[in-house]
Amino acid sequence: MTKTPPLPKLSEREGAAWVGFLRAHDLVTQRLDAELRASNDLALSEFEILLHLARAGGEKRMAQIAHDVVLTGGGVTRIVARLEKLGYLTRRSCPKDGRGIFAVLTNAGWAKHRAAHAVHVEGVKRLFLRDTKQDELAVLSAFFDRMVARTRAKEQGPDNACALDEPTKKREAKSTHATRG
Amino acid sequence: MTKTPPLPKLSEREGAAWVGFLRAHDLVTQRLDAELRASNDLALSEFEILLHLARAGGEKRMAQIAHDVVLTGGGVTRIVARLEKLGYLTRRSCPKDGRGIFAVLTNAGWAKHRAAHAVHVEGVKRLFLRDTKQDELAVLSAFFDRMVARTRAKEQGPDNACALDEPTKKREAKSTHATRG
DNA sequence: TTAATATTGTTGACGCGTCAAGCATATTTC
DNA sequence: GAAATATGCTTGACGCGTCAACAATATTAA
């Protein structure tokens, strides 16, 4: 052969980290989901939306939710529909943008969030964080942030027009070209 | 209130690590899946099975696969059926255990594995490992291993009777009680 | 203004994997 | 050995979220 193509390989440790990453994620989210369902009749994906809504002060636009939890628009529509049927949130249209829909936590939604939050946090500590030192934690979050930033490099998050915490937010100078995931 | 229950909280950094973990996983696996489909018409889940089979020398029992990739028995049955229909593997029954089925890589399967492996490794390096130093990598794999070990603490992997690399394997003294996920 | 284009959210069709029931074979207990 | 129990794999029914098409609204270009 005149020229061997790159032929990349993973070192022992690299392979272990990658496989570990996949397994760890599946096992932990699976278990967390089960615990959340058992204690609060809530899927992890559903709880995550309640969580993001709560952190945002109680409401958020559909597209923003989709971006936050890494889901398709259609997926968010369906989960929100479920949560609405359960009485945990309501839809409200956005006055400044006729296309926009806000998901808004109801009182029941806030209550559910609180109840599930306790279970969730306990589970995260027990299954994810246990025995992890501060300096390791720093490495981890830096690592994850890098991955997220990298895969989202060319994206720009969606607008969240007329959000609660909107402090006369102006559109950033739009970046060079377009999104093109 | 006479006694406030534990009321657990996550620190800023703990929360960031957890959310980062979830997002990073979703974004990276999603992208890797897309690249694998585009280049080799293979889902990431399908490739992972080819990968584990290849690493095992070409064959493995269904239950063992399920354990390795964190999937239900039913799930493995279906993915293996797909791969079989595509011609990448064959089923073979296990002589020592009438219930057991081996998935066995065909030549086409080996070839497909090689082709997809190159793309996969490149993607893992680019999306997952890039800019990660050796000592960070050590922290990461130790962390993931801990999580996996923890959630699998009370389990015992399935038998892999009459596997290729089976060195007169004896059943471990069975642990105290049972599994009970 | 008008037309072309982009964005937001919803929906039907679908792919994927889980769940639980079922069948076959193994293992244990009597 | 026979019965009871456990394990391995498959299958129908189903839940979940994606995809692509669509309607409605916004934005940009002419």
Side-chain angles (χ1 to χ4, degrees):
Chain A
M1 299 92 176
T2 53
K3 180 190 164 190
T4 318
L7 184 58
K9 272 286 178 184
L10 296 183
S11 73
E12 191 70 29
R13 186 172 273 165
E14 289 173 331
W18 170 243
V19 173
F21 177 65
L22 295 180
R23 301 299 156 267
H25 174 273
D26 291 354
L27 289 168
V28 170
T29 56
Q30 186 173 297
R31 189 169 283 237
L32 231 39
D33 183 85
E35 293 181 2
L36 232 30
R37 283 176 194 274
S39 62
N40 287 281
D41 269 299
L42 219 52
L44 179 56
S45 61
E46 293 163 351
F47 170 71
E48 280 203 85
I49 288 188
L50 294 188
L51 179 60
H52 279 270
L53 285 175
R55 277 191 191 278
E59 60 177 59
K60 216 172 216 184
R61 283 184 59 169
M62 305 294 276
Q64 184 69 48
I65 296 174
H67 179 263
D68 290 350
V69 299
V70 189
L71 236 55
T72 304
V76 173
T77 293
R78 293 196 148 97
I79 299 183
V80 164
R82 244 145 56 208
L83 292 172
E84 186 174 31
K85 188 170 296 180
L86 290 168
Y88 299 146
L89 57 78
T90 315
R91 283 168 214 252
R92 185 167 62 70
S93 64
C94 172
K96 294 184 187 168
D97 186 337
R99 303 163 301 180
I101 300 285
F102 274 90
V104 186
L105 279 183
T106 61
N107 287 340
W110 282 105
K112 197 65 180 177
H113 166 260
R114 272 194 303 280
H117 190 59
V119 173
H120 178 250
V121 170
E122 189 278 325
V124 170
K125 279 179 182 289
R126 172 166 38 84
L127 299 169
F128 183 73
L129 298 167
R130 180 188 289 183
D131 298 333
T132 303
K133 312 236 180 303
Q134 276 300 317
D135 53 332
E136 294 176 312
L137 202 54
V139 171
L140 292 170
S141 50
F143 176 72
F144 297 138
D145 285 352
R146 229 155 52 212
M147 289 176 68
V148 172
R150 195 176 292 151
T151 52
R152 282 180 163 167
K154 298 180 186 174
E155 295 175 24
Q156 58 194 14
D159 276 356
N160 200 26
C162 47
L164 283 183
D165 59 357
E166 191 182 33
T168 325
K169 194 180 194 176
K170 268 169 274 188
R171 179 190 276 285
E172 302 283 305
K174 66 177 168 185
S175 61
T176 46
H177 287 91
T179 124
R180 291 275 304 139
Chain B
M1 298 95 179
T2 52
K3 180 190 164 190
T4 318
L7 185 57
K9 273 285 179 187
L10 295 183
S11 73
E12 190 71 26
R13 185 171 274 164
E14 288 173 332
W18 171 241
V19 173
F21 177 65
L22 295 180
R23 299 302 155 267
H25 174 273
D26 291 354
L27 289 169
V28 170
T29 55
Q30 187 174 296
R31 189 168 283 239
L32 231 39
D33 183 84
E35 293 181 2
L36 232 29
R37 282 177 196 274
S39 63
N40 286 281
D41 270 300
L42 219 52
L44 178 56
S45 60
E46 292 162 351
F47 170 70
E48 281 203 85
I49 288 187
L50 293 189
L51 179 60
H52 278 271
L53 284 176
R55 277 191 191 280
E59 60 177 60
K60 216 171 217 182
R61 283 185 59 167
M62 304 293 277
Q64 183 69 47
I65 296 174
H67 179 264
D68 290 350
V69 299
V70 188
L71 236 54
T72 304
V76 173
T77 293
R78 292 194 150 98
I79 300 184
V80 164
R82 243 144 57 208
L83 292 172
E84 185 174 33
K85 187 169 297 181
L86 290 169
Y88 300 146
L89 57 77
T90 315
R91 282 167 214 251
R92 185 166 62 70
S93 63
C94 173
K96 294 186 188 169
D97 185 338
R99 303 162 302 180
I101 300 285
F102 273 89
V104 186
L105 281 183
T106 60
N107 287 340
W110 281 105
K112 197 66 181 176
H113 165 259
R114 270 194 304 279
H117 189 60
V119 173
H120 178 250
V121 168
E122 189 279 324
V124 170
K125 279 178 183 288
R126 172 166 39 84
L127 298 169
F128 183 73
L129 298 167
R130 180 190 287 185
D131 297 333
T132 303
K133 313 232 179 306
Q134 275 301 317
D135 53 332
E136 295 175 312
L137 202 55
V139 170
L140 292 170
S141 52
F143 176 71
F144 297 139
D145 284 353
R146 231 157 49 211
M147 288 175 69
V148 172
R150 196 177 292 149
T151 51
R152 283 180 162 167
K154 298 180 186 175
E155 295 175 24
Q156 57 195 16
D159 275 355
N160 200 25
C162 44
L164 283 183
D165 58 356
E166 190 181 33
T168 325
K169 194 179 191 175
K170 269 170 272 189
R171 178 191 276 288
E172 302 283 304
K174 66 176 171 187
S175 63
T176 45
H177 286 91
T179 127
R180 291 273 304 140

